[in-house]
């Protein structure tokens, strides 16, 4: 299985801040990579697919970058509704493993 | 509108069997893979497997193969996840999700609301 290492596991931020979350796969996965947001007691929501492509309806303050073995999710101008847990996922090979998650909390 | 609606919460005893369901609407059921994702209490997301309703081709994650089975009923646009011998460690929320292809990259784009399964003696 491909292991995804997310960092940090949690971070504290304020409304209006910018945050970045990193995800590093254990092998080269090209752009077969996605980001999800999960709010408490809710189903995950697809934010970004193919490493850089914003899913329809997702605000432009979310952006993704990277390829191969190093990926980043950036949120600019953090909004109250953005406090949640974020997961990366690879779909280069099955099983389509997820990272362990990054919880974005209110400072 | 694409929707995935899952069956309700279940409480079972160890050793019992269970089948939970995921009924889809708003798109052609047989054309998209459907996946199942486990979330144990307070933990992250785990990819369990995917099934293609068109021909029931199934891929299981190594941690789940042999312990769960996936199936479909094309007449009702429904996917199932089944256990024949539940363990307390199966206590979790289980999500179904549609597996869409975006220019060759697969991702779960629509999700069910989740089914809480509690296994306790």
């Amino acid at each position: 299985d491909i292991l995804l290492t997310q960092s940090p596991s949690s971070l504290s931020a304020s409304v209006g801040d910018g945050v970045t979350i990193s995800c590093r796969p254990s092998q080269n996965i090209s752009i077969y990579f996605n980001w999800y947001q999960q709010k408490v007691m809710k189903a995950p929501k697809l934010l970004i697919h193919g490493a850089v492509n914003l899913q329809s309806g997702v605000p432009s303050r979310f952006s993704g970058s990277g390829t191969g073995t190093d990926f980043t999710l950036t949120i600019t101008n953090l909004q109250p509704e953005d406090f949640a847990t974020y997961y990366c996922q690879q779909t280069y090979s099955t099983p389509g493993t997820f990272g362990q998650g990054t919880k974005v909390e209110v400072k | 509108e694409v929707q995935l609606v899952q069956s309700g919460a279940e409480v079972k005893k160890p050793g019992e069997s269970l089948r939970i369901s995921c009924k889809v609407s708003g798109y052609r059921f047989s054309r998209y893979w459907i996946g199942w994702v486990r979330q144990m209490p307070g933990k992250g997301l785990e990819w369990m497997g995917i099934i293609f309703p068109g021909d029931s081709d199934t891929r299981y994650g190594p941690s789940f193969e042999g312990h769960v089975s996936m199936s479909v009923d094309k007449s009702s646009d429904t996917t199932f996840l089944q256990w024949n011998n539940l363990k307390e460690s199966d206590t979790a929320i289980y999500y179904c999700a549609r597996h869409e292809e975006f220019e060759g990259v697969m991702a779960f784009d629509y999700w069910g609301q989740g089914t809480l399964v509690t296994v306790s003696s």
Side-chain angles (χ1 to χ4, degrees):
Chain A
D1 298 3
I2 296 175
L3 176 67
L4 299 182
T5 303
Q6 258 185 265
S7 62
S9 56
S10 66
L11 64 90
S12 298
S14 301
V15 172
D17 285 352
V19 302
T20 58
I21 299 170
S22 170
C23 186
R24 291 193 165 88
S26 58
Q27 68 180 73
N28 188 330
I29 60 167
S30 184
I31 60 165
Y32 295 89
F33 184 85
N34 309 305
W35 288 101
Y36 300 86
Q37 175 195 65
Q38 186 180 31
K39 297 181 180 178
V40 175
M41 299 304 294
K42 295 291 187 182
K45 172 186 172 182
L46 178 64
L47 294 178
I48 289 170
H49 53 84
V52 300
N53 301 298
L54 210 59
Q55 172 66 342
S56 176
V58 174
S60 59
R61 61 181 180 274
F62 292 92
S63 64
S65 63
T67 184
T69 58
D70 192 358
F71 298 86
T72 300
L73 174 69
T74 300
I75 313 171
T76 57
N77 188 22
L78 202 66
Q79 294 299 296
E81 60 267 30
D82 300 336
F83 293 99
T85 300
Y86 293 85
Y87 293 93
C88 57
Q89 183 207 19
Q90 66 80 22
T91 53
Y92 179 83
S93 64
T94 57
T97 41
F98 292 90
Q100 77 273 25
T102 295
K103 187 173 184 179
V104 177
E105 300 174 298
V106 177
K107 184 185 283 185
Chain B
E1 180 193 7
V2 173
Q3 286 191 309
L4 288 78
V5 179
Q6 298 185 230
S7 49
E10 301 273 3
V11 179
K12 291 290 188 179
K13 290 181 166 39
E16 291 187 334
S17 298
L18 174 65
R19 189 176 78 166
I20 62 175
S21 66
C22 170
K23 181 175 173 58
V24 315
S25 60
Y27 73 94
R28 191 86 159 261
F29 178 60
S30 61
R31 287 196 172 178
Y32 293 81
W33 292 81
I34 294 268
W36 288 93
V37 175
R38 182 175 78 175
Q39 189 165 38
M40 298 176 75
K43 302 297 184 182
L45 306 174
E46 297 176 90
W47 192 97
M48 300 179 69
I50 51 175
I51 184 166
F52 188 69
D55 61 5
S56 293
D57 186 12
T58 311
R59 317 280 167 82
Y60 293 99
S63 302
F64 298 93
E65 184 140 34
H67 185 53
V68 298
S69 60
M70 299 176 192
S71 60
V72 301
D73 176 4
K74 287 194 281 188
S75 69
S76 62
D77 290 352
T78 302
T79 303
F80 301 98
L81 181 65
Q82 180 166 340
W83 296 258
N84 291 327
N85 180 19
L86 283 163
K87 305 180 190 312
E88 291 196 352
S89 57
D90 292 318
T91 295
I93 297 173
Y94 294 87
Y95 293 101
C96 63
R98 191 179 78 163
H99 213 212
E100 168 70 288
E101 180 174 348
F102 298 94
E103 298 182 346
V105 179
M106 304 300 293
F108 292 125
D109 64 341
Y110 287 93
W111 293 67
Q113 82 276 21
T115 295
L116 174 61
V117 173
T118 303
V119 184
S120 174
S121 53

